[in-house]
Amino acid sequence: MLLLDGQLKPALPQKVFCRLWAVMGKLQSKLRHSTYLYSRPDGIIEERVQTKAPQEYIPVHVDTVSVIATLNSDLCISGGKDKTAVAYNWKTGRMVKRFTGHEREITKIACIPKANQFFSASRDKTVLMWDLQGSSHPRQQLSGHAMVVTGLAVSPDSSQLCTGSRDNSLLLWDVGTGQCVERASVSRNLVTHLCWVPSEPYIVQTSEDKTIRLWDSRGLQMAHMFPTKQHIQTHCEVSVDGHTCISCSSGFGGEGCEATLASPPCLWMDQDP
């Protein structure tokens, strides 16, 4: 991959890819046998080969798995069209616990840092809070969106949760009480993903309107908007130091499907005393 104008671009068509995927309940980690070519700065073309035997795990879902998140170094949480969330030990290859409560497909999962708790969002318009050490039923149910919930982000101190939806809104919740404390809405802002900036009060959000927005959780006000992209922005993540954001886009006809790096100046805005 080459970094050109802030975008990651392949030097030549790249066939090697690694993905954690699940189809019809099979959770797999797979590196496809292949080769690829890349161009060195000095113009020399080199070829590398990467191979690894595919690894399959015991099926734990009865339908397509749509989301996976890391709970800790041993466990991941998966959710999908069968309306259930599953805690899975990827070292032993066995299910630890199943969680039921949603009425429709699970769309997002967000884990609470350094805890055995997590949130799941669904097409049933709700967000549920779960505890690995507690009951298989939800501890909390957060209802406030009018459409499918498509974004979840837990604050660095685990005290707040931000949710986003295709209803153009973002909601800020108090994790302790389960109460909605702030609401923001922008026309045509169909949320696709949310990510909380580490050690900061800011939330990065991608949207189907091809934009990336930065929100200040102190009042849930929009603090910055990146220049509009050419394609729908589907995902975003922020580096550990909070200085770099990467977003991914959809695409068609050989265009788009790219990752973009950005370092917005507002990430260094002075904090209020």
Side-chain angles (χ1 to χ4, degrees):
M1 303 295 286
L2 298 178
L3 183 60
L4 299 175
D5 298 327
Q7 295 186 338
L8 293 174
K9 298 284 188 177
L12 288 173
Q14 183 173 332
K15 296 181 180 179
V16 175
F17 62 96
C18 182
R19 59 183 177 177
L20 185 63
W21 65 295
V23 178
M24 297 305 292
K26 289 189 176 181
L27 187 63
Q28 303 185 32
S29 178
K30 183 175 182 181
L31 180 63
R32 186 168 290 181
H33 294 251
S34 184
T35 63
Y36 69 93
L37 299 176
Y38 74 96
S39 300
R40 283 177 20 181
D42 55 13
I44 297 176
I45 304 296
E46 295 191 7
E47 182 174 359
R48 292 185 177 182
V49 178
Q50 295 184 13
T51 60
K52 185 178 180 181
Q55 184 176 2
E56 289 196 15
Y57 296 93
I58 298 173
V60 294
H61 290 278
V62 297
D63 207 335
T64 304
V65 176
S66 53
V67 61
I68 302 173
T70 302
L71 183 64
N72 55 44
S73 60
D74 295 328
L75 303 179
C76 66
I77 306 294
S78 59
K81 287 188 175 181
D82 63 2
K83 311 171 190 176
T84 70
V86 171
Y88 197 89
N89 189 313
W90 52 32
K91 291 185 178 179
T92 64
R94 296 190 178 278
M95 183 182 73
V96 175
K97 194 170 186 176
R98 184 182 301 277
F99 303 86
T100 59
H102 282 295
E103 297 179 357
R104 297 188 65 185
E105 175 186 357
I106 293 176
T107 55
K108 296 285 184 178
I109 288 174
C111 298
I112 298 178
K114 301 179 181 179
N116 288 316
Q117 299 173 333
F118 66 93
F119 294 94
S120 61
S122 171
R123 289 187 178 277
D124 64 13
K125 309 174 189 177
T126 69
V127 174
L128 300 181
M129 181 182 182
W130 310 89
D131 191 333
L132 184 63
Q133 306 301 326
S135 168
S136 58
H137 298 291
R139 289 188 56 182
Q140 289 182 353
Q141 176 172 314
L142 310 179
S143 301
H145 288 289
M147 297 184 70
V148 51
V149 183
T150 50
L152 285 178
V154 180
S155 65
D157 65 2
S158 306
S159 66
Q160 294 181 309
L161 173 74
C162 187
T163 63
S165 169
R166 287 181 60 85
D167 63 7
N168 305 325
S169 73
L170 273 73
L171 303 182
L172 192 65
W173 305 82
D174 183 301
V175 171
T177 65
Q179 298 299 311
C180 179
V181 295
E182 299 286 355
R183 177 186 293 267
S185 182
V186 176
S187 177
R188 300 185 180 180
N189 182 32
L190 281 72
V191 177
T192 57
H193 195 73
L194 295 172
C195 177
W196 209 297
V197 179
S199 303
E200 298 287 350
Y202 302 113
I203 304 160
V204 181
Q205 177 238 316
T206 50
S207 172
E208 287 192 21
D209 67 3
K210 306 178 184 179
T211 64
I212 305 171
R213 293 178 172 87
L214 186 72
W215 296 86
D216 190 334
S217 63
R218 299 165 297 186
L220 203 56
Q221 301 293 318
M222 189 166 60
H224 179 78
M225 187 168 71
F226 293 75
T228 302
K229 305 295 183 179
Q230 294 298 314
H231 300 278
I232 292 174
Q233 301 299 294
T234 58
H235 192 86
C236 58
E237 290 293 340
V238 178
S239 61
V240 175
D241 62 10
H243 292 170
T244 306
C245 173
I246 186 168
S247 64
C248 301
S249 75
S250 65
F252 60 89
E255 298 292 333
C257 299
E258 59 191 16
T260 303
L261 286 171
S263 297
C266 54
L267 287 180
W268 290 280
M269 289 190 299
D270 293 334
Q271 301 293 310
D272 292 337

